[in-house]
């Protein structure tokens, strides 16, 4: 992967993204399995436990301090794996959200995405500079449109019939007691002009907002004054003249709005590409860290195996018998352990033949630890169930006794 965000292409981070979630989950489970093997093995040395006639691992010269050191190293790996797991979850969540957005987007966006493949992604700093320049240019273009609209407004205001609409309606002076019941939002050309010239940031932000208010001035007049009245006729005439002039400016307004929309879409796409490129680099970093964890675990495994005694024929026979007693689910897990050191093994096949004598010492001890843990868990579960059953029997007996005592003798 490239060293700078500018050099990261869509194709590169797509490859990194596609290789992330499912594969990493499987690798994480394998690492946890191996780490648990070490933890179980070092613990067995300390305890010297025997279970189901299977002798647990013993060292040639048991050294408790060395065992504790192994356990500490395994715990460190667990902590590192947990941190990596959080990072992977963050990356997965990001891509899940990204995929949802892509599914909800239109086909046009999909076509555009295909066209954009292979292009370079701008850096965040470059995008910020571009955004600043883009906003500045858009503001200048909008100012020019508003200047042209101001010319239209001035022409309307200079019409001989415009005088009734230049100031707010004098509701009290004219005795229009029901005006605010009929008109929800009063508006006049003088107020529009003042808002257009406002310098404190409270003015109009775009031309369409001004257009809407100009229409409102005349719509209010026609709504409150009956058709055929002088004010109604004056408002209708001025509105028609305004619409004629507005139609001449409208193409420029539409073109500017389309341009702004395209620029905004472009900016959002670039920002999304930067985020994806950033997460792709994070995926690469996580992959490197996971590789280091794998290497560390492999070194630990080899060290532990070197200190383990060689498994005897009797041990292998007991191990084979114990594997045969495993449930289907646990048997599949045992086959996965064997498959890790035997790539050609079809662990999910209907029939699998395993030659215990052909397995490496590392695989045999890992199977030993796994089977021991399975049967220890079963024993604990069985003991717990027996305890619960006995407790239930006692409670039922007490309940029956109470029930008999509560019955009244028949008369």
């Amino acid at each position: 992967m490239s060293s700078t965000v500018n050099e990261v292409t869509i194709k590169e981070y797509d490859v990194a993204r596609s290789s992330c979630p499912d594969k990493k989950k499987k690798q994480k489970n394998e690492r946890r399995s191996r780490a648990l093997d070490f933890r179980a093995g070092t613990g067995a040395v300390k305890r010297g436990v025997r279970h189901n006639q299977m002798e647990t691992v013993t060292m040639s010269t048991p050294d408790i301090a060395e065992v504790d050191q192994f356990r500490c190293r395994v715990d460190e790996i667990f902590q590192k794996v947990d941190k990596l797991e959080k990072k992977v979850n963050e990356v997965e969540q990001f891509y899940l959200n990204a995929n949802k957005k892509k599914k909800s987007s239109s086909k046009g966006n999909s076509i555009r995405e295909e066209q954009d493949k292979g292009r370079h992604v701008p850096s965040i700093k470059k995008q910020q500079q571009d955004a600043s320049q883009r906003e500045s240019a858009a503001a200048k273009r909008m100012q020019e449109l508003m200047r042209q609209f101001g010319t239209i407004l001035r022409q309307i205001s200079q019409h001989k019939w415009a005088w009734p609409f230049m100031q707010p309606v004098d509701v009290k002076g004219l005795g229009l007691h029901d005006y605010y019941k009929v008109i929800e939002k009063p508006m006049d050309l003088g107020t529009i002009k003042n808002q257009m010239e406002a310098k404190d940031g409270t003015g109009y932000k775009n031309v369409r907002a001004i257009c809407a208010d100009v229409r409102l001035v005349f719509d209010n007049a026609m709504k409150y004054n009956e058709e055929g009245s002088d004010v109604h006729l004056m408002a209708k005439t001025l509105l028609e003249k305004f619409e004629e002039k507005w139609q001449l400016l409208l193409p420029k307004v539409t073109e500017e709005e389309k341009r702004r929309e395209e620029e905004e879409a472009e900016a959002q796409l670039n920002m999304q590409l930067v985020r994806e490129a950033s997460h792709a680099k994070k995926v690469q970093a996580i992959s490197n860290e996971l590789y280091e964890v794998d290497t560390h675990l492999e070194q630990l495994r080899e060290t532990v195996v070197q200190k383990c005694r060689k498994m005897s024929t009797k041990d292998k026979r007991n191990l084979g018998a114990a594997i045969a007693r495993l449930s289907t689910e646990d048997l599949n897990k045992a086959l996965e352990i064997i498959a890790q050191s035997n790539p050609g093994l079809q662990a999910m096949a209907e029939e699998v033949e395993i030659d215990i004598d052909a397995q490496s010492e590392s695989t045999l001890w890992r199977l030993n630890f796994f089977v021991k843990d399975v049967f220890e868990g079963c024993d604990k579960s069985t003991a717990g169930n027996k305890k619960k059953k006995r407790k239930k029997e006692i409670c039922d007996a007490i309940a029956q006794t109470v029930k008999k005592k509560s019955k009244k003798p028949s008369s």
Side-chain angles (χ1 to χ4, degrees):
M1 199 161 203
S2 353
S3 58
T4 61
V5 177
N6 283 345
E7 297 173 353
V8 179
T9 62
I10 298 174
K11 186 175 181 181
E12 287 172 323
Y13 63 65
D14 279 344
V15 172
R17 175 178 59 187
S18 62
S19 65
C20 174
D22 295 335
K23 187 176 179 181
K24 295 296 178 288
K25 285 183 180 178
K26 185 176 180 181
Q27 291 176 345
K28 180 191 71 177
N29 292 335
E30 291 176 356
R31 282 183 205 95
R32 286 190 176 277
S33 175
R34 277 179 275 169
L36 283 170
D37 290 341
F38 293 133
R39 182 176 277 179
T42 54
V45 176
K46 204 168 185 178
R47 295 190 301 269
V49 180
R50 283 179 175 268
H51 183 74
N52 287 333
Q53 296 182 344
M54 294 173 55
E55 186 175 354
T56 56
V57 60
T58 59
M59 294 186 179
S60 54
T61 54
D63 186 347
I64 301 303
E66 190 174 14
V67 171
D68 288 337
Q69 185 180 4
F70 271 116
R71 294 175 69 86
C72 288
R73 290 173 68 184
V74 172
D75 287 337
E76 288 174 2
I77 293 176
F78 261 80
Q79 292 174 6
K80 189 170 185 178
V81 169
D82 287 338
K83 291 179 180 178
L84 289 173
E85 185 177 351
K86 290 180 181 178
K87 293 180 181 180
V88 171
N89 289 337
E90 290 176 4
V91 174
E92 287 181 357
Q93 190 60 45
F94 170 80
Y95 284 118
L96 284 174
N97 294 335
N99 288 334
K100 288 180 182 178
K101 289 180 181 179
K102 286 182 179 179
K103 288 180 181 179
S104 63
S105 62
S106 62
K107 292 182 179 179
N109 289 339
S110 299
I111 296 173
R112 182 172 183 175
E113 183 180 347
E114 290 295 325
Q115 295 173 345
D116 287 334
K117 281 191 175 181
R119 75 173 186 175
H120 291 290
V121 184
S123 65
I124 294 179
K125 185 177 181 180
K126 181 68 166 57
Q127 286 197 58
Q128 290 174 342
Q129 293 174 350
D130 291 345
S132 178
Q133 294 174 0
R134 186 170 58 251
E135 287 299 322
S136 177
K140 290 181 180 179
R141 295 195 303 269
M142 184 56 67
Q143 284 296 326
E144 174 58 24
L145 288 174
M146 292 179 75
R147 187 192 66 77
Q148 295 180 35
F149 190 93
T151 301
I152 296 175
L153 183 64
R154 186 167 57 254
Q155 292 172 351
I156 296 297
S157 300
Q158 291 173 352
H159 194 277
K160 62 180 180 179
W161 285 353
W163 62 268
F165 313 108
M166 296 305 298
Q167 301 295 332
V169 175
D170 185 5
V171 177
K172 291 184 179 180
L174 297 174
L176 308 178
H177 306 297
D178 62 341
Y179 186 81
Y180 293 117
K181 293 182 180 179
V182 179
I183 304 303
E184 296 179 3
K185 182 183 178 183
M187 185 56 62
D188 63 276
L189 298 179
T191 300
I192 294 174
K193 182 175 180 295
N194 292 336
Q195 257 192 286
M196 287 183 67
E197 296 174 352
K199 304 295 184 182
D200 57 356
T202 60
Y204 293 106
K205 300 296 187 293
N206 59 77
V207 178
R208 283 194 183 273
I210 313 174
C211 176
D213 277 354
V214 171
R215 286 172 174 163
L216 182 62
V217 172
F218 303 125
D219 287 340
N220 285 347
M222 290 187 291
K223 182 178 181 180
Y224 188 78
N225 296 276
E226 294 180 357
E227 188 175 357
S229 64
D230 290 342
V231 175
H232 187 102
L233 178 61
M234 294 163 73
K236 184 177 181 181
T237 301
L238 290 177
L239 180 58
E240 290 174 353
K241 289 184 176 297
F242 168 75
E243 293 293 351
E244 289 175 3
K245 297 179 182 298
W246 169 248
Q247 290 303 317
L248 298 176
L249 183 61
L250 184 58
K252 294 181 181 180
V253 176
T254 304
E255 181 182 355
E256 173 61 21
E257 290 173 341
K258 183 178 180 182
R259 181 173 179 177
R260 289 296 297 270
E261 184 179 342
E262 289 176 350
E263 288 178 347
E264 184 64 28
E266 183 78 7
Q268 290 181 359
L269 176 61
N270 285 338
M271 185 56 68
Q272 178 68 13
L273 295 183
V274 168
R275 293 194 190 100
E276 293 198 17
S278 174
H279 279 80
K281 293 181 72 176
K282 187 181 291 187
V283 169
Q284 184 64 37
I286 291 173
S287 297
N288 294 337
E289 291 185 73
L290 290 175
Y291 177 78
E292 292 178 4
V293 171
D294 276 335
T295 304
H296 196 180
L297 284 173
E298 191 62 32
Q299 292 172 350
L300 276 176
R301 182 202 292 180
E302 293 303 320
T303 302
V304 170
V305 170
Q306 290 173 7
K307 292 184 176 292
C308 288
R309 65 171 176 78
K310 189 174 181 180
M311 191 172 282
S312 66
T313 303
K314 181 180 179 181
D315 293 332
K316 294 178 182 179
R317 186 169 61 253
N318 290 336
L319 176 60
I323 291 175
R325 295 197 301 272
L326 292 174
S327 65
T328 303
E329 182 180 357
D330 289 329
L331 182 59
N332 288 333
K333 293 179 181 178
L335 290 176
E336 288 178 4
I337 293 174
I338 298 173
Q340 288 176 13
S341 57
N342 296 271
L345 178 68
Q346 300 293 329
M348 302 307 294
E350 292 185 5
E351 292 186 5
V352 181
E353 293 185 5
I354 301 298
D355 184 0
I356 290 292
D357 293 328
Q359 305 306 314
S360 65
E361 289 297 319
S362 173
T363 301
L364 291 174
W365 283 116
R366 289 186 67 197
L367 287 170
N368 185 78
F369 301 147
F370 171 73
V371 172
K372 177 178 67 66
D373 287 342
V374 169
F375 285 118
E376 282 183 353
C378 289
D379 289 346
K380 290 179 181 178
S381 177
T382 303
N385 290 336
K386 287 181 177 180
K387 187 176 181 181
K388 289 180 181 179
K389 184 178 180 181
R390 180 57 182 161
K391 186 176 180 180
K392 186 176 182 301
E393 290 174 352
I394 294 173
C395 290
D396 290 343
I398 294 173
Q400 288 292 335
T401 303
V402 173
K403 187 175 180 182
K404 288 179 181 179
K405 288 183 178 181
S406 63
K407 286 184 178 181
K408 295 181 179 181
S410 56
S411 53

